[in-house]
């Protein structure tokens, strides 16, 4: 299984370790850097799904680092995580090419939601509007509809969120926590029974063996 890969540039060792552990627990693979020059080297040597960049770091700051890699054609989605909070700082962040900007201190769950949102957005913007499961069944991304045997099947809001999460992570195990954090909004109480019902309905549409239950770990969408 290959998880989404994240570069974390953060020179505060304690904060870096906290973020790294949290994201690892949510099925991400995190590579840490503690100064801008090291981060630049790591970015050029690896393919990342998202960049988390502090701004005030040794070597080269986060703004300049992102400008530099953008100028060289690297379009990896990026989020600045910084204590800088003025309007000018925010403007500079987006001018340098970031996709989002989160101010310290922040809740780890908020960071996770922002990461997941950007990854889902970038995934579906890069794909075509139709995703085929087989010759008789496909998913229309723009209308959130499944077409099966030439009939339109509408999904509920949470079923649609769940299907998109599976499609973004095909053949990967999704932990229960990862799914709960995606389907249920902040402040909502998640439901094991509801999740099982959503899984059951998707299996009815896609095939009973399309989504595997991995004991004590989560679920996996199986694609050829």
């Amino acid at each position: 299984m290959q998880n989404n890969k994240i570069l974390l540039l953060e020179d505060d060792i304690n904060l870096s370790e906290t973020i790294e552990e949290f994201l690892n627990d949510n099925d991400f693979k995190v590579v840490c850097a503690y100064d801008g020059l090291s981060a630049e080297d790591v970015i050029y040597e690896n393919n990342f799904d998202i960049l988390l960049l502090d701004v005030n770091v040794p070597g080269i700051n986060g703004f300049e680092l992102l400008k530099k890699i953008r100028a060289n054609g690297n379009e990896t989605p990026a989020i600045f995580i910084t204590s800088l909070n003025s309007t000018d700082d925010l403007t500079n962040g987006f001018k340098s090419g970031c996709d989002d900007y989160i101010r310290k201190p922040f809740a780890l769950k908020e960071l996770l939601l922002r990461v997941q949102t950007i990854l889902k957005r970038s995934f579906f913007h890069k794909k075509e509007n139709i995703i085929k499961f087989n010759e008789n069944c496909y998913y229309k991304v723009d209308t959130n509809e499944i077409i099966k045997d030439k009939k339109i099947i509408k999904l509920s809001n949470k079923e649609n969120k769940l299907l998109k999460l599976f499609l973004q992570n095909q053949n990967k195990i999704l932990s229960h926590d990862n799914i709960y954090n995606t389907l249920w909004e902040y402040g909502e109480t998640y439901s094991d029974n509801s999740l099982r019902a959503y899984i059951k309905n998707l299996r009815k549409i896609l095939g009973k063996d399309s989504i595997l239950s991995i004991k004590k770990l989560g679920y996996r969408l199986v694609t050829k």
Side-chain angles (χ1 to χ4, degrees):
M1 180 183 68
Q2 183 179 4
N3 294 342
N4 288 113
K5 193 172 181 181
I6 294 177
L7 170 76
L8 171 62
L9 170 59
E10 172 57 66
D11 64 337
D12 182 324
I13 303 297
N14 291 330
L15 179 57
S16 177
E17 290 178 348
T18 298
I19 295 173
E20 178 186 15
E21 181 179 0
F22 176 76
L23 292 175
N24 283 340
D25 289 343
N26 283 277
D27 302 324
F28 294 96
K29 181 178 180 181
V30 181
V31 176
C32 295
Y34 306 99
D35 65 81
L37 294 176
S38 300
E40 183 180 3
D41 289 339
V42 173
I43 290 170
Y44 285 127
E45 292 169 359
N46 297 267
N47 291 318
F48 291 99
D49 296 293
I50 197 164
L51 309 174
L52 300 181
L53 307 175
D54 190 8
V55 176
N56 288 331
V57 293
I60 176 174
N61 71 43
F63 288 160
E64 294 304 317
L65 172 61
L66 188 58
K67 285 180 184 177
K68 190 172 182 179
I69 68 169
R70 289 286 189 256
N72 288 323
N74 188 318
E75 296 298 327
T76 304
I79 300 175
F80 283 123
I81 49 174
T82 178
S83 57
L84 299 177
N85 56 18
S86 72
T87 301
D88 287 342
D89 293 323
L90 182 64
T91 300
N92 287 334
F94 282 102
K95 280 185 176 179
S96 65
C98 78
D99 297 84
D100 203 352
Y101 189 106
I102 183 170
R103 296 180 175 91
K104 298 177 182 177
F106 52 82
L108 290 172
K109 185 169 182 179
E110 180 185 357
L111 177 63
L112 176 64
L113 291 173
R114 289 174 184 250
V115 167
Q116 291 173 333
T117 297
I118 286 180
L119 288 175
K120 285 184 284 187
R121 184 180 69 199
S122 62
F123 172 81
F124 284 105
H125 283 184
K126 292 177 182 176
K127 301 293 180 179
E128 294 185 7
N129 284 331
I130 293 178
I131 299 174
K132 295 186 70 171
F133 298 107
N134 54 56
E135 291 302 317
N136 300 313
C137 184
Y138 57 91
Y139 176 64
K140 296 180 70 175
V141 175
D142 53 350
T143 60
N144 299 327
E145 296 172 335
I146 292 179
I147 311 298
K148 183 176 182 182
D149 298 326
K150 299 182 180 180
K151 295 180 180 179
I152 297 175
I153 301 175
K154 295 289 289 186
L155 300 176
S156 70
N157 181 50
K158 284 188 167 53
E159 287 170 348
N160 189 58
K161 284 185 178 181
L162 180 57
L163 178 58
K164 285 189 173 183
L165 183 63
F166 277 130
L167 289 172
Q168 185 196 352
N169 297 275
Q170 296 177 46
N171 299 306
K172 299 177 184 178
I173 297 174
L174 289 173
S175 70
H176 295 94
D177 285 342
N178 193 333
I179 296 174
Y180 295 147
N181 289 333
T182 300
L183 265 63
W184 279 269
E185 301 293 337
Y186 185 76
E188 287 186 327
T189 302
Y190 66 78
S191 166
D192 292 329
N193 289 335
S194 295
L195 176 57
R196 284 193 288 269
Y198 303 145
I199 294 286
K200 182 179 180 180
N201 192 41
L202 289 179
R203 282 173 173 158
K204 284 182 180 178
I205 300 168
L206 305 179
K208 64 179 182 179
D209 297 323
S210 59
I211 301 173
L212 300 182
S213 298
I214 312 299
K215 189 174 182 181
K216 296 184 179 179
L217 294 178
Y219 295 94
R220 178 161 63 93
L221 174 69
V222 178
T223 57
K224 295 181 180 179

